[in-house]
Amino acid sequence: MSRYFTEDHEWVDIDGDIGTVGISDYAQGQLGDIVFVDVPEDGKQLAKGDEAAVVESVKAASDVYSPVSGNVLEGNAALTDDPSLVNSDPEGEGWFFKITLSDPAEVEELMDETAYEAFVAKL
């Protein structure tokens, strides 16, 4: 499995033609305590860069953008009951949605973990 990041702090794990999407540890730290997450519905078609989800914290609300194009397979229902999963495990159990990639080549435009860490270090 390969993980890629956007400059908006979303990540996507690629496993074949399936991507699992969430926000980075850096992003959740900037947002503070997460109190609500709205994930996309199953079957929703997303283009790369589309608003895909909303996350609300005690500080602010923020949009989550799809790092790749495709069809949403599943939203993380666990976030409805426990949005704090985004804080406690942002790059694991706090994922937002799974998507079937319509153009796997789009991941080549994203940053790998090393490039993302360098990007965040400059912020």
Side-chain angles (χ1 to χ4, degrees):
M1 194 175 315
S2 300
R3 178 167 288 182
Y4 300 91
F5 294 84
T6 71
E7 289 186 358
D8 290 321
H9 309 288
E10 292 90 9
W11 56 263
V12 59
D13 279 342
I14 305 298
D15 187 8
D17 66 345
I18 306 296
T20 302
V21 177
I23 63 171
S24 70
D25 186 51
Y26 175 83
Q28 72 78 25
Q30 295 297 302
L31 287 167
D33 293 337
I34 305 298
V35 296
F36 175 77
V37 178
D38 183 25
V39 297
E41 294 181 15
D42 298 358
K44 183 172 183 173
Q45 183 69 33
L46 294 170
K48 181 178 180 179
D50 280 356
E51 292 177 9
V54 175
V55 61
E56 293 181 11
S57 71
V58 293
K59 292 182 182 179
S62 184
D63 292 322
V64 175
Y65 303 97
S66 185
V68 291
S69 300
N71 232 10
V72 174
L73 287 174
E74 168 187 11
N76 187 353
L79 296 181
T80 302
D81 296 330
D82 188 6
S84 70
L85 283 171
V86 177
N87 294 119
S88 62
D89 194 9
E91 296 183 24
E93 294 301 312
W95 59 273
F96 282 56
F97 61 94
K98 294 182 187 263
I99 188 168
T100 303
L101 305 175
S102 59
D103 183 3
E106 287 179 337
V107 298
E108 295 171 13
E109 300 166 16
L110 303 174
M111 293 178 274
D112 64 16
E113 234 167 316
T114 303
Y116 180 71
E117 287 172 5
F119 171 74
V120 169
K122 294 178 185 175
L123 298 178

